[in-house]
Amino acid sequence: MAEPKETPLMEKIVSLCKRRGFIFQSSEIYGGINGFWDYGPLGAELKRNVKELWWRSMTQQREDVVGLEASIVMHPKIWEASGHTSTFSDPMVDCLGCRKRFRADQIEARSGTAYSYVGAFDEKLWSQAAIAGITGGTEPSADFLSQLTDDVTRHNFAKQLLSSSEPEIRAIGKDLEQQTISKYQCDIPFAVLLPSGKAADSARKIAKQYYRQRSVANPVPRDERSEEVKNSTHYCNECGSLLTPPKQFNLMFKTYVGPVEDPESVAYLRPETAQAIFAQFKTVLEVSRQKIPFGIAQIGKAFRNEINPRNFTFRSREFEQMELEFFIRPDEVVETICGKVANAADIWKENIEPRTSNAEHPTSGSQPSTLNPQPQPDWGWEAWHKYWIEQRIRWYESIGLPRASLEEYWQKKDELAHYARATVDILYKFPFGTQELEGIAARGDFDLSQHQRFSGKPMGVFDDELKAAWARLEEAKTKELGQRYHDARLKYLAQMGVAAEESSKQAREDADCLARGNYIPHVIEPSAGVDRLILALICHAYCEDQAPDEKGHPETRVVMRFHPRIAPIKVAVFPLLKNKPDLVNKAKEVRDLLRPHLTVFYDEAGALGRRYRRQDEAGTPFGLTIDFETLGEKGPELKDTVTLRDRDSMKQERVKIGDLVPLLLEKVR
RNA sequence: GCGGGUGUAGCUCAAUGGUAGAGUUCCAGCCUUCCAAGCUGGCUAUGCGGGUUCAAUCCCCGCCACCCGCUCCA
């Protein structure tokens, strides 16, 4: 092709992002800062559009979801209740030998013979250095002196510095001496644990290997000691080498509330937006006049000190989330009220069937995703979970990520977090791998229960339908349902480490509450990463196609095929020529006509084709050209009409200026 | 965090232990009647900090950032 070597796709996308102003590295003039990114003019518009569409579809266009915009810094107890303080903060140890990293609490205790060394010297260099007097030898040989003059000089100078009365000078001397000697030896202690009875030789072998990694070419480990150890957690489970002391790994972004940095004022930037929703659940319920089932949505920044930010903006330390917490009745409550819980599989099977028959009549042209069952009172958590997965995929389709470009991944039982009943990840195939855009989790009543326990404030809701229905049930049925609810509560409390006696008392109380119409709602959580989605949209939109140049030769054209709904700029306005004031004035008139309704970009610089191409890279779906016909030079029937050029097909049509606003609005909505 | 690689203009790529060059983009002007045309002029770079040297973008060290692999990812 035109390019002699193929630049990897992701590189081209990153380059375009920077070139056109979608995404820049943060703090670039200072060398950048790892894990942080800025959105440029086009990126800011794109992101704003995406967030607005999410917000509109999740809250404004629904009866049963309301919004929340909570603070980023919250009471630190929130993160104790949510489990982030403990799970986000792990002591980690590194293995000196195999360099693997482990969680300190997952190291198994081992017994055996530990061989330890205080360091190693280089067999060859050391003997030479000893002769030269650097490492304590006494008989410098002229031959080696000539090779080692520099080191000898440095060493002697260091000794002089070390005898100074100034501590700063002594420090420099110590440094220098260390530098000089470090060529000949390594002072880092090392140890390895072997099963009792195994030959010391293999310990030496491992130690040598270790010191070789530390750039001692011919290491002789020094001062070997052996000792029987029992149940020690200081040695690597895989290779037996000594582990480093535990280092605290904390993924939470710490800060201080108030100007004084004392331990009582420690707080964290939120690592997810969801917890604020749980914490405000009761307040929102009261003021919004909603009833279960209903949801609370939030868009906002979150912060995690990721160990290793990677893949452009995909894993950043500061990122934005769009989260919904949708609160539902526990299945026992649904069953009490409706007499049954609808089977999720059946609901979707019924809705799929008509679609299958449609396939036999291709003329019907039905979309593959027309199935869209509406929520029913007898839905339990499985149906709601499936419902939200479907809603979310449909939304992705609506902004230009077709279902086929996404992957639904149902987490396996053993991958599920302890609080989750089911989690589905929606994945997108990025150039760097298939990665998660959104997770839709069925979280049971874990979060609200935690906040109830930690805050001491009741998180239960009263449901008069439940109370009335409960009263009508036969005793055997209430017993069965009560028992199921009780068991679930007991299981949760036990899992959280609540003492057995306390747990069983509490679970009994909770079950009694159920009979009075009171329960803790369960929750379905669709949680999407905005920045990941933006990246997916950019990757998906990026396209190189062939466009003819002036002479009709095909030429590679880079075009961002954004869905018009999300395109940063909706329409570009061009006067055909910029040195004709009439054209320019008319074009500016058109620009001003459209500006109140759409994002418009006016451009008069350069050849028209060039201006089209610039907009192709920005992903602008429509271009308007004002020419002499617009001015009426070719007759009155073409007066006040403009050329409307379509980005993807590059086709042009003639449109009346008066029709532009409704026509374009229709296309971008 | 570990290992490897990279770092020159907005982008793509040169060159050199002694004045950093091209194409393209961008800006201005002229010209131009619908897909990166032409002409003229212009802006813009050795990631940061040390060291060696008379002199460092180049050699050495440290840092930072990016890429790849491992690791990590509630």
Side-chain angles (χ1 to χ4, degrees):
Chain A
M1 290 281 181
E3 280 162 302
K5 63 170 182 186
E6 197 57 42
T7 315
L9 177 59
M10 199 56 210
E11 255 173 62
K12 290 197 222 172
I13 290 170
V14 172
S15 165
L16 181 129
C17 281
K18 192 178 172 190
R19 181 156 38 93
R20 285 293 167 196
F22 284 100
I23 298 169
F24 306 124
Q25 182 162 26
S26 167
S27 320
E28 204 180 2
I29 60 168
Y30 291 101
I33 175 164
N34 189 294
F36 298 88
W37 302 90
D38 294 346
Y39 287 89
L42 292 180
E45 291 291 339
L46 178 63
K47 192 169 174 185
R48 174 175 275 273
N49 290 343
V50 167
K51 286 195 286 182
E52 221 165 274
L53 286 165
W54 186 89
W55 189 257
R56 215 187 292 160
S57 98
M58 295 299 263
T59 72
Q60 296 168 350
Q61 294 180 342
R62 296 187 66 101
E63 279 292 302
D64 54 359
V65 177
V66 294
L68 178 72
E69 187 158 329
S71 63
I72 287 172
V73 176
M74 288 179 274
H75 196 290
K77 268 223 155 177
I78 288 200
W79 309 114
E80 282 176 40
S82 70
H84 285 86
T85 312
S86 53
T87 55
F88 256 35
S89 168
D90 292 321
M92 306 286 280
V93 293
D94 293 303
C95 172
L96 292 176
C98 59
R99 302 200 158 183
K100 288 204 172 121
R101 171 168 292 160
F102 306 94
R103 272 174 54 180
D105 59 339
Q106 286 178 353
I107 299 295
E108 285 168 39
R110 288 161 50 112
S111 306
T113 313
Y115 294 86
S116 59
Y117 307 88
V118 298
F121 58 86
D122 189 290
E123 202 174 4
K124 282 187 188 157
L125 290 177
W126 180 268
S127 57
Q128 297 169 6
I131 293 166
I134 291 173
T135 51
T138 46
E139 291 178 53
S141 121
D143 194 23
F144 285 122
L145 263 182
S146 65
Q147 286 175 37
L148 298 168
T149 308
D150 273 0
D151 287 338
V152 172
T153 316
R154 278 160 64 134
H155 181 66
N156 289 338
F157 183 49
K159 277 209 280 200
Q160 266 180 42
L161 296 179
L162 276 168
S163 60
S164 163
S165 57
E166 295 292 324
E168 283 171 24
I169 296 194
R170 283 204 303 272
I172 297 170
K174 195 166 180 197
D175 229 37
L176 186 62
E177 186 183 57
Q178 192 56 46
Q179 277 175 32
T180 314
I181 290 182
S182 67
K183 282 169 75 174
Y184 308 104
Q185 64 174 17
C186 171
D187 279 343
I188 306 169
F190 178 76
V192 60
L193 183 74
L194 296 178
S196 297
K198 205 165 174 189
D201 247 11
S202 49
R204 279 171 216 141
K205 214 167 146 189
I206 296 171
K208 277 187 182 183
Q209 205 176 347
Y210 168 73
Y211 288 110
R212 239 176 258 125
Q213 283 174 358
R214 297 270 158 181
S215 359
V216 181
N218 309 287
V220 179
R222 292 165 52 203
D223 298 355
E224 179 180 288
R225 270 167 215 206
S226 65
E227 164 189 26
E228 290 301 311
V229 295
K230 280 220 164 109
N231 297 325
S232 168
T233 53
H234 296 152
Y235 298 93
C236 178
N237 290 160
E238 291 185 19
C239 75
S241 301
L242 187 67
L243 299 167
T244 58
K247 237 188 290 178
Q248 200 62 26
F249 265 61
N250 196 342
L251 267 43
M252 299 278 276
F253 257 97
K254 196 190 249 181
T255 187
Y256 296 90
V257 173
V260 182
E261 297 190 0
D262 54 35
E264 287 96 78
S265 62
V266 167
Y268 302 94
L269 308 191
R270 62 185 177 196
E272 63 170 35
T273 56
Q275 293 306 322
I277 295 177
F278 296 125
Q280 292 289 14
F281 165 69
K282 286 300 284 272
T283 334
V284 174
L285 177 65
E286 263 163 45
V287 301
S288 63
R289 308 192 56 231
Q290 290 281 355
K291 277 185 187 161
I292 306 290
F294 87 107
I296 304 174
Q298 174 164 228
I299 298 178
K301 289 267 176 119
F303 303 80
R304 295 177 194 184
N305 252 325
E306 293 289 352
I307 294 172
N308 191 1
R310 267 297 167 86
N311 292 328
F312 201 28
T313 58
F314 185 82
R315 177 167 293 129
S316 304
R317 293 195 162 121
E318 174 177 342
F319 57 98
E320 198 153 13
Q321 292 184 305
M322 306 186 289
E323 291 196 298
L324 169 69
E325 302 301 332
F326 195 82
F327 300 96
I328 56 172
R329 288 166 167 157
D331 280 9
E332 293 81 21
V333 173
V334 173
E335 192 171 339
T336 304
I337 295 169
C338 301
K340 67 174 171 67
V341 175
N343 184 312
D346 289 346
I347 299 168
W348 270 268
K349 205 163 88 195
E350 282 161 24
N351 279 276
I352 285 167
E353 271 162 4
R355 178 172 144 239
T356 322
S357 58
N358 273 350
E360 290 159 19
H361 308 281
T363 45
S364 69
S366 72
Q367 293 291 311
S369 54
T370 46
L371 65 145
N372 193 21
Q374 291 306 298
Q376 300 299 326
D378 64 350
W379 280 15
W381 72 266
E382 278 179 297
W384 276 110
H385 187 223
K386 184 90 179 86
Y387 167 79
W388 277 112
I389 297 164
E390 191 55 33
Q391 292 302 303
R392 297 303 304 137
I393 292 177
R394 293 166 69 86
W395 183 75
Y396 286 113
E397 286 183 302
S398 77
I399 58 167
L401 284 184
R403 191 175 288 254
S405 71
L406 301 170
E407 209 173 287
E408 247 179 75
Y409 178 78
W410 289 72
Q411 287 191 9
K412 310 265 185 306
K413 273 267 175 311
D414 57 333
E415 295 169 329
L416 287 174
H418 62 88
Y419 49 74
R421 294 179 156 186
T423 298
V424 169
D425 292 334
I426 296 179
L427 312 171
Y428 176 77
K429 198 167 182 298
F430 288 96
F432 48 80
T434 303
Q435 299 274 359
E436 181 188 343
L437 289 184
E438 169 159 357
I440 300 149
R443 294 174 67 105
D445 58 7
F446 173 80
D447 300 277
L448 288 179
S449 301
Q450 284 290 94
H451 286 298
Q452 173 168 297
R453 280 204 306 128
F454 277 72
S455 68
K457 306 285 190 303
M459 287 291 157
V461 298
F462 176 73
D463 188 329
D464 29 33
E465 274 187 79
L466 168 63
K467 194 179 176 192
W470 190 270
R472 288 195 302 268
L473 280 191
E474 284 171 24
E475 202 189 323
K477 193 68 188 169
T478 56
K479 237 181 167 171
E480 183 216 321
L481 290 169
Q483 188 64 40
R484 255 160 59 195
Y485 191 77
H486 167 272
D487 292 350
R489 296 300 299 162
L490 187 65
K491 190 177 162 202
Y492 155 73
L493 290 163
Q495 244 176 15
M496 288 300 112
V498 178
E501 203 175 312
E502 174 70 23
S503 295
S504 100
K505 185 174 155 231
Q506 186 63 52
R508 186 45 55 200
E509 270 175 34
D510 291 344
D512 290 347
C513 281
L514 190 67
R516 292 196 299 272
N518 198 291
Y519 60 86
I520 295 183
H522 286 216
V523 68
I524 308 291
E525 177 193 85
S527 164
V530 184
D531 308 271
R532 294 175 168 197
L533 174 54
I534 297 299
L535 189 57
L537 289 166
I538 288 174
C539 291
H540 199 70
Y542 184 91
C543 175
E544 290 170 17
D545 66 6
Q546 300 290 309
D549 67 6
E550 213 191 16
K551 293 166 196 127
H553 299 307
E555 200 174 62
T556 303
R557 172 180 82 131
V558 172
V559 50
M560 299 297 283
R561 296 182 190 269
F562 291 123
H563 191 291
R565 274 191 194 117
I566 60 164
I569 302 168
K570 307 296 188 203
V571 57
V573 177
F574 315 119
L576 184 58
L577 300 172
K578 81 165 165 178
N579 60 354
K580 298 282 187 288
D582 288 349
L583 286 177
V584 169
N585 290 338
K586 193 72 187 174
K588 285 182 175 167
E589 252 176 56
V590 172
R591 173 195 66 188
D592 294 341
L593 169 75
L594 299 176
R595 182 152 282 167
H597 308 280
L598 304 148
T599 46
V600 188
F601 190 84
Y602 172 82
D603 191 359
E604 58 180 30
L608 188 61
R610 176 185 294 272
R611 286 178 265 165
Y612 282 148
R613 294 300 173 83
R614 279 199 278 247
Q615 293 306 314
D616 288 341
E617 282 203 341
T620 307
F622 306 108
L624 295 175
T625 302
I626 284 71
D627 57 19
F628 293 98
E629 291 160 34
T630 315
L631 302 176
E633 287 193 3
K634 291 256 174 79
E637 66 278 7
L638 285 177
K639 187 167 157 47
D640 284 331
T641 62
V642 295
T643 303
L644 172 65
R645 181 253 194 188
D646 178 81
R647 173 196 65 201
D648 298 338
S649 65
M650 295 190 284
K651 292 222 173 78
Q652 307 187 342
E653 57 175 316
R654 205 70 198 174
V655 179
K656 285 199 188 113
I657 289 176
D659 294 341
L660 280 175
V661 170
L663 179 78
L664 289 171
L665 283 179
E666 156 121 26
K667 284 175 188 278
V668 302
R669 285 232 165 111

